[in-house]
Amino acid sequence: MRARVTIVPRPEVLDPQGRAVAHALEGLGFGVVKGVRVGRIVDVELSDGLDRQAAEAKLEQMTRELLANLVIEDFRIDWLD
Amino acid sequence: MIVAVLQFPGSNCDQDVVHALGTVLGADARLVWHGDAGLPTGTDLVVLPGGFSYGDYLRSGAIAARSPIMVPVRAFAESGGTVLGICNGFQVLTEAGMLPGALLRNAGVQFVCRDVCLRVESQASALTARLQPGSLHVMPVAHREGNYFADEPTLAALEATGRVLLRYADPLTGEASREANPNGSAHGIAAIANKKGNVIGMMPHPERAVDAELGPVGGRVMLEGLLTEVRRRN
C-alpha cells in the first residue's frame, strides 16, 4: 500500500521560496502567474493487507507527529494504489 | 557547574559552545550524544548547539526534536532546569513543542551570515536576567531558517509577558528597524522564552563572540550572565 502525503505552507504563512519561484516565472514571461506556494511530497509505503481506514489513521498520526509541522503547514493524504 | 552540550549528527557549533562555556568561562561543559538515554548526573544547564542536525532533512530541527536525548531534556525543563537552544538548537526546541512558533526560511531566501546587533527586551530569563534592558550586544547570525513565525495571539502573548528576550536592532540608534532585521523575523524577534522563562531559544551565536582576537565579544557577557544566573538559581 502506498500513500502520498502532500504538505504545503498554511495560507497565512509567508513562503519566501514560493515568492522567489513566482518572481522567476514572471521573469520567464509567464505573466499569468498570480502566486506560487512550494510544499513537499512524502510517499509512504505501508505493510500490505492493512485495513485502509486504520492505515489512514496511522498515516495521519505520523504526519501530525513528524512529517508536517502544523504550526506552519497543512497536509493532505492520497492513496497511490 | 555541569553544562550538557547536546550533539546531534550534523551539529557543528557543539565544540564552539564547549570552548566558550568551558575553556573561556570555566564551566564543566560536556558533550552529550543524541542517542543517550540520560543527561549527566548533576546537569545544571542544557545547551542545544547550532548546525544542521540530520542535514536539515524534512524541516530544520524536526528529526533531532524526536531523538532519544530529548526525553530527559524535556523532563529536565519540566523540573525547572534551564535549556538554551542556539540557532539550529532554537529550531529543535520549536519542533519539540518546547517553545511556541516556528522558524521559516529567511524572507530574503538566502543564507545570512553576518554580525547583528541585539537589543535586550526583557530580563525574564536566565540568559537576560543580568543584562540591562535596552542594552545592545553584537554577535553573528548564520542561518537560512531564522525567520521567526507565530500566529498573532501567540506573538501578542509573548510580547505582553516579556517573553521576547532579544530583538534585532540598529547598532547606532538601537531602533528595532526593518533594516536591522536580517531574516524577516516577526516583530524583529531574535530570542524568546517559554512561559516559565527556563527554556530559551535564540538565532544568533553568542558562543562565536567570546574572544576579542576573533571579533565582537557580545556573546561573552551574555553567556557569563547565563552561567552566573543558573548557578544562583540552582
Side-chain angles (χ1 to χ4, degrees):
Chain A
M1 295 173 84
R2 287 170 61 236
R4 171 162 290 177
V5 185
T6 307
I7 299 152
V8 289
R10 295 171 73 108
E12 69 272 24
V13 173
L14 174 81
D15 176 18
Q17 199 178 182
R19 220 168 46 178
V21 172
H23 188 71
L25 288 172
E26 280 165 29
L28 289 171
F30 294 102
V32 291
V33 174
K34 281 181 71 186
V36 173
R37 312 283 287 169
V38 176
R40 191 168 58 242
I41 282 177
V42 183
D43 287 344
V44 184
E45 192 164 355
L46 295 167
S47 324
D48 289 322
L50 280 173
D51 169 66
R52 190 148 286 213
Q53 224 173 347
E56 190 152 337
K58 269 272 180 263
L59 268 169
E60 185 163 334
Q61 193 189 346
M62 58 182 91
T63 303
R64 288 178 182 281
E65 275 181 33
L66 177 65
L67 301 182
N69 179 345
L70 300 186
V71 175
I72 48 171
E73 295 169 328
D74 287 329
F75 69 91
R76 199 184 71 212
I77 295 170
D78 296 298
W79 289 102
L80 296 178
D81 51 21
Chain B
M1 178 72 168
I2 300 175
V3 182
V5 180
L6 306 190
Q7 208 176 23
F8 301 99
S11 294
N12 64 12
C13 300
D14 42 337
Q15 299 288 356
D16 304 56
V17 172
V18 168
H19 170 76
L21 295 179
T23 314
V24 177
L25 298 173
D28 177 2
R30 305 178 188 178
L31 292 170
V32 175
W33 185 236
H34 73 110
D36 287 1
L39 294 166
T41 310
T43 293
D44 297 295
L45 168 68
V46 174
V47 179
L48 288 79
F52 299 87
S53 57
Y54 294 91
D56 272 355
Y57 295 161
L58 199 61
R59 295 176 305 277
S60 308
I63 299 181
R66 279 90 180 164
S67 60
I69 195 64
M70 291 307 288
V71 175
V73 169
R74 200 183 292 272
F76 177 78
E78 276 163 13
S79 67
T82 305
V83 176
L84 170 67
I86 301 168
C87 197
N88 187 225
F90 186 5
Q91 296 161 343
V92 174
L93 290 174
T94 58
E95 278 286 344
M98 293 170 67
L99 286 172
L103 291 141
L104 304 176
R105 180 73 62 94
N106 294 343
V109 192
Q110 293 190 337
F111 191 93
V112 177
C113 182
R114 64 169 168 93
D115 286 343
V116 293
C117 177
L118 304 168
R119 189 177 74 198
V120 176
E121 300 291 311
S122 158
Q123 292 181 300
S125 77
L127 182 72
T128 51
R130 294 182 167 261
L131 301 175
Q132 197 64 32
S135 61
L136 302 175
H137 305 270
V138 175
M139 63 190 75
V141 288
H143 59 249
R144 199 176 62 166
E145 278 90 17
N147 177 352
Y148 183 74
F149 170 87
D151 58 24
E152 278 306 324
T154 306
L155 287 171
L158 287 172
E159 295 284 2
T161 52
R163 291 162 58 200
V164 174
L165 305 177
L166 301 169
R167 235 186 279 275
Y168 300 107
D170 184 287
L172 297 174
T173 64
E175 290 291 311
S177 63
R178 213 186 144 120
E179 294 70 39
N181 183 339
N183 52 32
S185 187
H187 297 203
I189 288 173
I192 59 165
N194 66 344
K195 277 187 188 150
K196 283 202 294 189
N198 66 322
V199 177
I200 305 154
M202 65 187 298
M203 284 315 295
H205 287 277
E207 81 283 8
R208 294 192 195 174
V210 296
D211 293 297
E213 295 84 349
L214 300 175
V217 289
R220 184 175 177 138
V221 62
M222 206 170 271
L223 294 177
E224 253 172 355
L226 171 70
L227 292 180
T228 308
E229 191 59 22
V230 168
R231 206 172 280 132
R232 187 187 70 78
R233 291 180 186 194
N234 291 357

